[in-house]
Amino acid sequence: MVAAAPYVTSAVTLTSVVQYAPSYLPAAYNTTRTSVITKTVTVCPCTDSLATLASATYNPNGPYVNPYDYSSLPFTWPGKPTKGQTTPAPQPTAPFPYGGTCSDKYEAPAWIPKGSHSLVPGIPQSGTNGNSLWGDLTCPRLPVDGLPPYGSGGSSSLTYSASATGSLTYSVSSTGGISAGSSVTASPSPCGEMPDTGVTRSYDLHVAFQTIAPDGVQKNGITINGGFPGPLIEANWGDWIQINVTNDIPTEGTTLHWHGLRQPGTPWYDGVPAVTQCPIIPGNTLSYLFRADLFGTSWYHSHYSAQYSGGAVGPIVIHGPKTAEYDIDIGPVMVSDWYHQDYFTLVNQTMHGDFPPSNNNLINGKMNYPCENTTLPCTPNAGISKFKFESGKKHLVRLVNTGAEGIQKFSIDNHTLTVIANDFVPIVPYTTNVITLGVGQRSDVIVEGLSNSTGVYWMRSQLGTDRCTLNDGVSPNAVAAVYYEDADTTSVPDSTSDVTAAQLAKCSNDALNQTVPFCSETIDSNPPSVETIDITFASNGTSFLWYMNNSSFRGDYNDPVLLETKVGNLTFEKEWNVIDVGTNSSVRVILKNHGLLGAHPMHLHGHNFNVLAEGFGEWDGTVVNAANTQRRDVQILQNAQDADTPSFVVLQWANDNPGAWPLHCHLAWHVSGGLFVQMLERKEDIQKEDFDADVAQTCRDWASWTGTHVPDQIDSGL
């Protein structure tokens, strides 16, 4: 298979099996009937292997070295507080110079050893990224019209498996939704109700330690199904998704969170330890089951401490109605800062006064590195990500910031970017030369192919400068290669970027009046619940921590707030940072950032929020685009203007989804340091819901396991 023609047509047999029907599904879902369906569909072997890697082999307890990087860091910040010190120095000293030691041996921006003149990778894909195929020319392209099969009600359970030849097999349980000869249903309106497809798509994911080298530098990471980044979770809008998550980490718990999906009716499957569940213990499996209630691009990640910064991440694509035309779906393009030490070492440093600067920056899990700057095993020119474009075609690029700390600035040399969605919200298209993405943010972008069939261009994702991002200065700018259909796919691009220094230094998203939702939605101009939350970075006497209204979060893995609420235990510890918003119709939160270093990408679980305003000082009550405010689930809260002038952002949402919903900064080191609150929404309705028993079982198992194993919780836990 090649990227220019990644889909093949084949006959797929769908054979029914009996499906587990949870108690909260309608009674009709329990009526099972048998059917055999043969359909001719287009399938992508690469996408399928990413989706489940069912035929892949990996050993979670296999070779796992524990190298340690003894390279010096350019600074120590914020340090330990001295006696009487309440706030740290405003920012660290300057980082290393670009390229670091012996930078003259390499050609920027891809750090190719001088004289090589080629992008032939020095390490095979299995050596850099394990089982993952992201970043390889053969993978992936996604279907532009959604996934087969298409139901019209009822319930079906699909399990994917990949054969040696790469063909796709669906094993289906049908209870009324799919029949022989069924046709594709008409696409629902993007502004209408979620369709009832009657389809459940099933996946198996394993979280494990693994030695990887995404940039040529060998490190101990955490993978999903033996690869970094992890496999694709893919569904149609309105499908159910069942994901069986097994913890193959032998020494600690884990969970997975399905970022941006609102979990209506299933808040216990949001995947946050100490909030919605107890951690999954080593060797155990938890089956998450939830609705694909929104459409667009997102990601999943561990929410246990900062495991995701070590590699426990993967993309989610929910196919839905188009709001703009395109010819080719390139698939997820994940951008992330990268660290050469293991995640636990980084968290330990964070909690002892040494916020770690990133060492590199990746696109789809790949980038080169100038090896003289590390003491770890390192292979130069290990391999960068590569993409195929077609002349005159419109390409959908699904951008996701899956990093730990860095604000990303994405661009493609010589190409214009048309933004059609932010997070899970379609917007009125607008064009730009650079996309700003805070951690957790996504943008769906259409890129029109140029007429040059032999063209070769750099795709770039650069870390924000000035006070936007902590990096060591050596390699903050990730690149990938874009090849047109007749280009030599080992050649090195020589294109240049038109992104300005001012654009790189801007620590905020595009202006609110520029990002208008495609579907109009009005808001309550006088919400009954208004909260003002001041965010500060201050000393607790021994370390510097993040505080929200003078309280730094620390979770209790044994007592999730949602489960305590279910059984009527409503007395919460202060450090759990629970804000009870009751049954009010809507909630408005005014967030103020008093910190000079560190813009905060603020993420709310369970909702898309309306962004009413942002700025510095005090909000004057003006709402931007009051008739149709921007909506998304992550918004960057800028750095304070100065010591006396905080930044602010005003968020509002309908209080219509019972649950315990985290509102937190998505920077790994900030949430580890306590920048987290949780909104307890409609607690009486929570108590009326029928929780799945397997969630409560996680707590019984965790209590039993921790009776003989002491979890090393050195941070907030999230």
Side-chain angles (χ1 to χ4, degrees):
M1 183 186 71
V2 295
Y7 276 78
V8 296
T9 301
S10 61
V12 178
T13 300
L14 310 178
T15 307
S16 66
V17 296
V18 176
Q19 180 200 3
Y20 158 73
S23 59
Y24 58 82
L25 290 181
Y29 280 60
N30 297 309
T31 302
T32 303
R33 68 176 176 80
T34 301
S35 60
V36 176
I37 311 146
T38 300
K39 294 172 64 75
T40 299
V41 297
T42 55
V43 298
C44 174
C46 179
T47 301
D48 176 57
S49 59
L50 282 168
T52 61
L53 289 167
S55 63
T57 58
Y58 62 95
N59 183 0
N61 299 312
Y64 181 66
V65 299
N66 187 32
Y68 190 85
D69 185 359
Y70 292 97
S71 306
S72 61
L73 296 177
F75 51 74
T76 297
W77 187 87
K80 301 288 284 185
T82 58
K83 184 176 181 180
Q85 184 183 12
T86 58
T87 57
Q91 58 186 351
T93 55
F96 294 134
Y98 185 55
T101 303
C102 301
S103 61
D104 59 331
K105 292 184 177 181
Y106 298 89
E107 295 285 353
W111 305 127
I112 306 166
K114 285 190 175 179
S116 62
H117 307 299
S118 174
L119 286 176
V120 175
I123 303 177
Q125 184 86 3
S126 60
T128 53
N129 301 91
N131 288 334
S132 176
L133 298 179
W134 298 114
D136 190 85
L137 272 174
T138 64
C139 181
R141 287 191 177 179
L142 305 185
V144 295
D145 293 313
L147 294 176
Y150 300 83
S152 57
S155 177
S156 304
S157 176
L158 287 77
T159 301
Y160 301 82
S161 62
S163 71
T165 59
S167 62
L168 179 65
T169 300
Y170 288 112
S171 172
V172 178
S173 157
S174 179
T175 61
I178 305 172
S179 60
S182 62
S183 60
V184 176
T185 58
S187 180
S189 165
C191 303
E193 296 294 321
M194 174 178 60
D196 181 6
T197 64
V199 173
T200 297
R201 303 187 188 267
S202 299
Y203 297 89
D204 292 312
L205 299 181
H206 290 250
V207 185
F209 287 146
Q210 187 170 328
T211 302
I212 53 178
D215 61 352
V217 179
Q218 184 174 296
K219 67 165 285 183
N220 42 330
I222 303 177
T223 60
I224 309 289
N225 286 17
F228 165 74
L232 175 67
I233 300 298
E234 193 175 14
N236 292 330
W237 187 29
D239 288 351
W240 286 86
I241 305 175
Q242 179 175 327
I243 306 178
N244 308 311
V245 177
T246 300
N247 180 11
D248 286 329
I249 299 174
T251 56
E252 59 192 43
T254 197
T255 68
L256 289 184
H257 166 61
W258 324 102
H259 183 106
L261 290 169
R262 295 178 297 186
Q263 301 290 344
T266 55
W268 48 87
Y269 285 139
D270 194 43
V272 186
V275 178
T276 63
Q277 66 170 94
C278 294
I280 305 168
I281 68 170
N284 272 23
T285 299
L286 175 63
S287 293
Y288 295 85
L289 180 64
F290 50 86
R291 198 80 180 271
D293 67 297
L294 298 169
F295 62 90
T297 306
S298 196
W299 62 309
Y300 60 90
H301 60 85
S302 171
H303 225 304
Y304 183 102
S305 187
Q307 283 180 350
Y308 88 85
S309 69
V313 301
I316 297 174
V317 171
I318 309 297
H319 297 280
K322 291 183 180 179
T323 59
E325 288 302 316
Y326 52 87
D327 305 299
I328 297 167
D329 190 335
I330 291 294
V333 176
M334 295 162 279
V335 295
S336 59
D337 52 7
W338 191 242
Y339 300 77
H340 290 157
Q341 293 177 338
D342 65 278
Y343 102 87
F344 192 85
T345 297
L346 297 172
V347 171
N348 192 38
Q349 290 174 351
T350 297
M351 302 307 294
H352 288 84
D354 189 5
F355 273 37
S358 59
N359 305 115
N360 208 344
N361 203 20
L362 312 178
I363 295 177
N364 271 4
K366 300 179 78 64
M367 178 58 184
N368 293 329
Y369 188 72
C371 288
E372 281 76 7
N373 296 281
T374 180
T375 60
L376 293 172
C378 180
T379 302
N381 207 13
I384 66 171
S385 288
K386 297 179 179 182
F387 299 89
K388 269 280 191 181
F389 276 22
E390 296 183 27
S391 301
K393 299 289 188 179
K394 292 183 177 180
H395 306 78
L396 179 66
V397 178
R398 300 174 177 272
L399 298 174
V400 192
N401 185 340
T402 61
E405 193 268 350
I407 290 178
Q408 300 279 350
K409 303 286 185 172
F410 178 89
S411 63
I412 303 176
D413 293 356
N414 296 28
H415 291 71
T416 298
L417 311 176
T418 300
V419 188
I420 64 168
N422 284 326
D423 298 349
F424 271 137
V425 180
I427 62 173
V428 177
Y430 71 94
T431 60
T432 183
N433 68 327
V434 60
I435 307 290
T436 300
L437 293 169
V439 176
Q441 290 188 317
R442 296 90 66 206
S443 286
D444 289 350
V445 178
I446 293 177
V447 183
E448 188 162 358
L450 305 178
S451 60
N452 182 9
S453 68
T454 60
V456 181
Y457 303 93
W458 288 123
M459 175 187 289
R460 304 174 189 264
S461 197
Q462 304 178 81
L463 292 177
T465 58
D466 197 14
R467 294 179 293 148
C468 287
T469 300
L470 281 177
N471 66 84
D472 67 9
V474 174
S475 185
N477 304 325
V479 292
V482 173
Y483 296 104
Y484 278 80
E485 61 266 29
D486 296 324
D488 174 2
T489 57
T490 66
S491 61
V492 180
D494 61 4
S495 59
T496 57
S497 174
D498 64 353
V499 179
T500 67
Q503 288 175 311
L504 292 175
K506 185 180 179 183
C507 300
S508 64
N509 292 122
D510 290 343
L512 296 180
N513 59 11
Q514 192 175 11
T515 52
V516 180
F518 185 89
C519 303
S520 183
E521 179 181 291
T522 58
I523 61 170
D524 186 350
S525 60
N526 188 26
S529 180
V530 179
E531 303 281 345
T532 299
I533 300 177
D534 288 281
I535 297 173
T536 52
F537 189 51
S539 169
N540 70 348
T542 57
S543 297
F544 289 108
L545 299 175
W546 291 101
Y547 292 83
M548 299 184 78
N549 281 357
N550 297 316
S551 181
S552 186
F553 174 84
R554 184 174 176 87
D556 187 338
Y557 286 155
N558 293 85
D559 290 303
V561 166
L562 184 70
L563 301 188
E564 292 291 343
T565 301
K566 167 64 179 173
V567 298
N569 295 336
L570 300 175
T571 301
F572 306 118
E573 299 294 333
K574 182 178 184 297
E575 64 188 7
W576 295 355
N577 286 6
V578 177
I579 299 176
D580 187 347
V581 293
T583 58
N584 292 315
S585 59
S586 59
V587 178
R588 178 178 293 172
V589 173
I590 304 169
L591 293 167
K592 294 183 176 182
N593 180 17
H594 296 265
L596 294 174
L597 179 69
H600 304 298
M602 300 302 299
H603 173 48
L604 175 66
H605 294 216
H607 296 273
N608 283 325
F609 48 62
N610 301 82
V611 187
L612 276 57
E614 61 180 353
F616 298 97
E618 296 295 325
W619 179 43
D620 64 5
T622 301
V623 176
V624 179
N625 286 343
N628 188 21
T629 59
Q630 175 180 283
R631 299 189 302 276
R632 62 188 312 166
D633 57 60
V634 184
Q635 177 69 19
I636 295 177
L637 172 61
Q638 299 178 73
N639 314 68
Q641 191 172 65
D642 53 52
D644 300 316
T645 312
S647 64
F648 70 81
V649 66
V650 184
L651 311 177
Q652 186 169 315
W653 62 91
N655 200 36
D656 58 1
N657 191 12
W661 302 119
L663 172 62
H664 65 93
C665 175
H666 220 298
L667 302 190
W669 324 127
H670 291 195
V671 72
S672 281
L675 211 167
F676 181 105
V677 297
Q678 49 189 313
M679 300 292 176
L680 184 60
E681 182 172 339
R682 310 186 77 90
K683 56 182 177 289
E684 294 83 1
D685 292 336
I686 293 172
Q687 293 167 357
K688 296 174 185 176
E689 291 180 324
D690 293 326
F691 282 32
D692 278 10
D694 53 358
V695 178
Q697 186 63 41
T698 63
C699 291
R700 288 188 283 270
D701 294 339
W702 182 254
S704 176
W705 187 75
T706 54
T708 56
H709 303 78
V710 179
D712 202 352
Q713 184 182 346
I714 59 174
D715 65 350
S716 72
L718 305 182

